Amino acid sequence: MESIEKEKKSVDKIWSFFASIKLAVVVFTLISLTSIVGTIVEQDAEPEKNIKLLAKFFGDSAPSAFRFLDALGFTNMFHSWWFVTFLFIFAANLIICSLERLPGILKLVKNPIKPLAASGFSSMQIKREVVIKGKTDKVLPLVESAVKKAGYVPAVSNEAEGIQLCAENGRYSRLGVYVTHFSILLIFAGAIIGVFGGFNASLNLLEGTESSVAYLRTGKEIPLGFSIACEDFDVLYYDNSDTPKSFRSRLLIFENGKPVKIDGKEVTEIEVNTPLKYKGITFYQSSYGFSPNKDSEFRLGIMSRDGKKDDVRLKFGGTFTIPGTQVVGKVLDFSPAIGVDKSGKLYTYAEQMHNPAVLIEFSENGKPKYTQWLLKRFPNTWNVADGVIEFKDLWGAQYTGLQVRKDPGVWVVYLGCLVMALGLYAAFFMSHSKIWILIREEKNNTKVFVAATANKNRVSLEGKIDRLIKTVSDKQ
Amino acid sequence: MDSSQFFGISSIAYILAMVTYIAYLVFRNSTVGLVATTITAVGFVSQTLAFFMRGKEFYDLAQLGSILRAIPLTNLYESLVFFVWCIILGYLLIEWKYKNRSFGAFITPIAGMVLAFIDISGMDKNIHPLIPALQSNWLLAHVTMSFLAYAAFAISFATAIMFLAVSSEDEKKWPYITWTVTLGVFVAVLIAMGIDFLVFKVGAHSTESLVKSHLFKASFRNSSLPVVLFSYLSLAGFVFGVWKYGKVLKKIIGSFDISQDMLDDLVYKTIAVGFPVFTLGGLIFGAIWADQAWGKYWSWDPKETWSLITWFVYAFFLHARFLKGWRGDKIAAVSVLGFVSTIFTYLGVNLLLSGLHSYGGGG
């Protein structure tokens, strides 16, 4: 018996520990303060970056400061055991605090409004008195319709002091706070489902290649269950600038070696804000890069002076002939980003394909004639002496960086967000208002007493009551 | 006329309104008050027009074919200007609702200071087309709601400082120290930025280079140690001055017909509007957008983390008020703390920390 008592006592102790608002404040503070450190120390970054940063505060002892922070988990703190523990304590605190208060509130919500004793009328926050001409049987319908007009459904009862109407609105809005707390727990649950049932990986796909796996940050392979290929990657720029307008990848899905149609199309084009979803896995456009190799090919559209056309694909050093002529072109040089410096010299100003250009040497019957740079983004550079050479693309030299994610909990998170929006609306923009009206006949006239109360926005209820009284007195 | 001229008109109007509201407080003449309100309203209408015109200019430049995405709210300059618009909107609502013009002399200077900060820092005012990550229909909802919330928090902060100024008596107790030191540091930082501008004359091209090469370089971050020491001493001296002579300001504020109850009520009401708007627009819409753009609804990047910290502070405010019945000095202090966190979320993260939201400081 004694041990059960003891056990009960310690359970009570744990319960009251988690139910205390002090704990909430302590956890709020701990999460906030450690998070501040987490925003200053770059998370999950190379040690050198943070040592450089720490040197500003600690000078020569920066490396030891770094080792100290690293040992405590501050360099990847949002995933450290102690930070996750804070979050769980926060959740437990939220659950138990809500459970503590919920019964009282539920009692309040479950019990509808009751007629008020006559003495109660004088103690309400809002109270009015008015005398209306005519007997009760004439005034009662007037009052009833005015209450309905104000948006309330009144219950009429015969009380000792006279006829009483009572009505209330927004009783359930008192639950708004709890709905909001519950939504935080839903979002938590969704996040946990995501951590255990999903993955967050990445995949770099060179144009013209495919993969059936994605890679976690740790380098671990995650099989997709199908394979994905990148047909083409492209960056579009705003006119004459290096400000990108969009990054686009054209992707294909293969199952058992056969292409799969998504929305009736084999090729799906994705951009930064429009990902591709297939079998619960989502592919997001997240980055790109330039990685030229021996298989990269120059794609040119050739038109001779008399309008004969040809499309060619060449490797570096390859040659082509302008149709209907003896003029041969050869790929001599390439720059991913060609620019002109102050002295008029050409140079490559970036390692990405910001302004790709190809140098073509033209010759006729083996004798070199001239060379010309063709710029992909500038069609006016495509005109050469013997025709028009359109530089369409250097294909197979860029890779698309895809974020690959599977998150079965994301719908729970979205549901939590929706519930939170509803809860906040109820908690902040709705109020529980109650109205009592007592009608008493006095010498052929009727005295009307009005009392009202609201847990929020009293001023607006006061306005409503005044309008209600005006409606009744105008109709008398 | 183009948008910049209308922005110019509104800037001048707000600064004139600031002077007129102060004149109204001194002379207590209702005609002067009416003039002040009219000037503010003219500035507001002009700025609204300018906002839509800039939207049109932006739409023509961006060629994205969607009006929802042509929102001129994509760099620091545009967001600051929109912040001013929100503050003025909030003020005009308060003036109308409470039938009290005395706040004008406190709110319009905030608008004036922000506009001055834009010119002093010489930040880039050009229209820039949207980078791919920003091309989303969530931009409108996320950014406008975040700024409405920031503006609500700013008004709460201003009323909280006024509350503390009116209520605090003892200059050795924390309420008095809180408001004088906060106000002192705020003004001193603005003065330091002004000195930067006067010393370097040229405006920086981007916010990043502004921070790296100019911000506080003429004072706290100067290459010569004596200048740095002198700057900190001046800061301390200035804050001490505000603390010492805060009673004068208190007297001025105290002589207006603003009751402590009304201030306390406003400190709460503005947060009661700002908090749900911030939660929905800032946190929830931000998370949904991040989910669609990057495949992660929450990635603990500095902007997200600071938003959460700010959210915690205001959540604490609400719980302290409803569960513990905090009123007056204590609750006003929480509002001040909340706004300091808000400023850091909005400016500090963009200027000092890196992360996914770094475009907000670029331009």
Side-chain angles (χ1 to χ4, degrees), chain A residues 39 78 238 245 273 284 405 414, chain B residues 129-130 133 135 291 293 295 306:
Chain A
T39 59
F78 296 111
Y238 289 102
K245 186 175 181 179
N273 275 300
Y284 299 85
R405 188 196 64 169
Y414 274 29
Chain B
L130 283 182
Q135 294 166 18
D291 184 47
W306 271 99

Side-chain angles (χ1 to χ4, degrees), chain B residues 61-110:
Chain B
L61 178 87
Q63 305 146 10
L64 292 170
S66 164
I67 295 171
L68 276 177
R69 295 180 186 186
I71 312 303
L73 267 177
T74 55
N75 59 29
L76 193 60
Y77 165 70
E78 290 169 338
S79 63
L80 283 171
V81 169
F82 184 66
F83 177 67
V84 169
W85 185 85
C86 293
I87 283 190
I88 296 292
L89 173 68
Y91 167 69
L92 287 173
L93 283 175
I94 289 172
E95 188 186 301
W96 175 64
K97 204 85 203 185
Y98 287 79
K99 308 269 176 282
N100 190 324
R101 286 203 172 91
S102 308
F103 289 107
F106 296 92
I107 309 268
T108 46
I110 296 183

Side-chain angles (χ1 to χ4, degrees), chain B residues 221-243:
Chain B
R221 292 170 64 213
N222 195 277
S223 50
S224 106
L225 190 65
V227 174
V228 175
L229 280 178
F230 180 74
S231 303
Y232 279 104
L233 279 175
S234 313
L235 173 69
F238 186 80
V239 172
F240 179 77
V242 176
W243 175 76

Side-chain angles (χ1 to χ4, degrees), chain A residues 21 25 27-28 31-32 35-36 39-40 42-43 78-79 83 87 90 101 177 181 184 187 190-191 194 200 238-239 241 243-247 271-275 284-286 403 405 407 409-410 413-414 417-418 420-421 424 428-429 456 459, chain B residues 61-64 69 128-136 268-269 271-273 275-277 279-280 284 287-297 299-303 305-306 308-309 311-313 315-316 318-319 322-324 344 353-354:
Chain A
I21 300 170
V25 172
V27 176
F28 264 34
I31 293 178
S32 301
S35 293
I36 292 174
T39 59
I40 296 166
E42 206 168 316
Q43 297 295 299
F78 296 111
H79 304 103
F83 191 76
L87 293 178
F90 172 52
R101 280 157 216 282
V177 175
H181 285 175
I184 297 174
I187 292 171
N200 228 315
Y238 289 102
D239 306 331
S241 78
T243 308
K245 186 175 181 179
S246 83
F247 311 133
E271 288 183 35
V272 174
N273 275 300
T274 46
Y284 299 85
Q285 180 72 63
S286 78
Q403 182 82 30
R405 188 196 64 169
D407 189 348
V410 75
V413 173
Y414 274 29
C417 291
L418 183 71
M420 185 182 274
L424 285 173
F428 284 96
F429 300 116
K456 259 172 286 167
V459 182
Chain B
L61 178 87
Q63 305 146 10
L64 292 170
R69 295 180 186 186
H128 291 277
L130 283 182
I131 59 163
L134 291 181
Q135 294 166 18
S136 164
Y268 162 68
K269 280 217 171 110
I271 289 175
V273 170
F275 183 78
V277 171
T279 312
L280 187 68
I284 295 182
I288 296 174
W289 185 6
D291 184 47
Q292 299 196 341
W294 296 300
K296 280 179 189 170
Y297 52 79
S299 50
W300 294 107
D301 91 297
K303 192 90 170 179
T305 310
W306 271 99
L308 188 68
I309 294 169
W311 191 76
F312 273 166
V313 177
F316 174 76
L318 294 167
H319 288 85
F322 284 113
L323 291 178
K324 291 277 162 190
F344 202 83
L353 305 172
S354 62

